[in-house]
């Protein structure tokens, strides 16, 4: 009877995986593979210092990958990144407080306005075509408007 023997992982395997993950992270810049790469690097160091079975290495890698990722996520939740423009990449919020004319009347609570180079759906009380409306808030991709007196 033939049995297949899996070669044990050595610290070199983990070091190679860590380097590969960190290279991919630098290439695509997503922020997630960094923590998995650091976990592989820690498993490499621990398996160099202590003899670990491949199952212990896999379990350690899995636990470290989850802990480092959740730790970074928790850190970002407590300390959000500061920016000069907090509405950057929140396009709908950039229109709050601005006034526009309806290009499609608000009927049954929905209408349309033209903003810069795009058309946006607005929500509010029924109003005729051409009425001036002010954006008071954003609900996802829908702008909530009220009539300007």
């Amino acid at each position: 009877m033939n049995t297949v023997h899996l070669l044990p992982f050595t610290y070199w395997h983990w070091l190679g995986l860590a380097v590969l993950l960190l290279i991919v992270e630098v290439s695509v810049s997503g922020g997630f593979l960094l923590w998995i790469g650091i976990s592989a690097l820690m498993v490499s160091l621990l398996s160099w210092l202590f003899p670990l079975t491949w199952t212990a290495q896999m379990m350690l890698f899995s636990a470290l990958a989850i802990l480092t990722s959740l730790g970074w996520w928790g850190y970002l939740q407590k300390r959000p990144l500061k920016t000069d423009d907090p509405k950057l990449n929140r396009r709908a919020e950039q229109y709050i407080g601005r006034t526009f004319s309806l290009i499609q009347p608000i009927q049954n609570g929905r209408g349309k306005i033209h903003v810069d180079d795009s058309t946006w759906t607005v929500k509010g009380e029924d109003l005729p075509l051409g009425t001036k409306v002010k954006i008071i808030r954003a609900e996802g991709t829908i702008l909530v408007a009220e009539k300007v007196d």
Side-chain angles (χ1 to χ4, degrees), residues 90-105:
R90 295 181 178 174
R91 193 168 172 198
E93 292 180 19
Q94 295 174 7
Y95 303 133
I96 296 173
R98 290 181 58 187
T99 302
F100 302 97
S101 295
L102 291 173
I103 61 167
Q104 181 180 334

Side-chain angles (χ1 to χ4, degrees), residues 95-120:
Y95 303 133
I96 296 173
R98 290 181 58 187
T99 302
F100 302 97
S101 295
L102 291 173
I103 61 167
Q104 181 180 334
I106 300 179
Q107 296 174 336
N108 299 321
R110 301 287 172 143
K112 296 213 183 264
I113 59 172
H114 185 73
V115 180
D116 300 329
D117 62 345
S118 60
T119 302
W120 286 75

Side-chain angles (χ1 to χ4, degrees), residues 83 85-94:
T83 177
D85 188 3
K87 293 182 181 177
L88 182 67
N89 295 330
R90 295 181 178 174
R91 193 168 172 198
E93 292 180 19
Q94 295 174 7

Side-chain angles (χ1 to χ4, degrees), residues 41-85:
L41 191 62
M42 291 191 299
V43 172
S44 174
L45 177 66
L46 290 172
S47 59
W48 177 64
L49 293 173
F50 308 104
L52 300 171
T53 64
W54 70 272
T55 53
Q57 292 175 20
M58 288 294 186
M59 290 173 47
L60 182 62
F61 174 68
S62 300
L64 287 172
I66 290 169
L67 289 174
T68 55
S69 297
L70 288 176
W72 179 245
W73 180 77
Y75 175 83
L76 286 180
Q77 294 300 311
K78 291 178 183 172
R79 294 168 196 82
L81 298 174
K82 303 287 185 214
T83 177
D84 294 336
D85 188 3

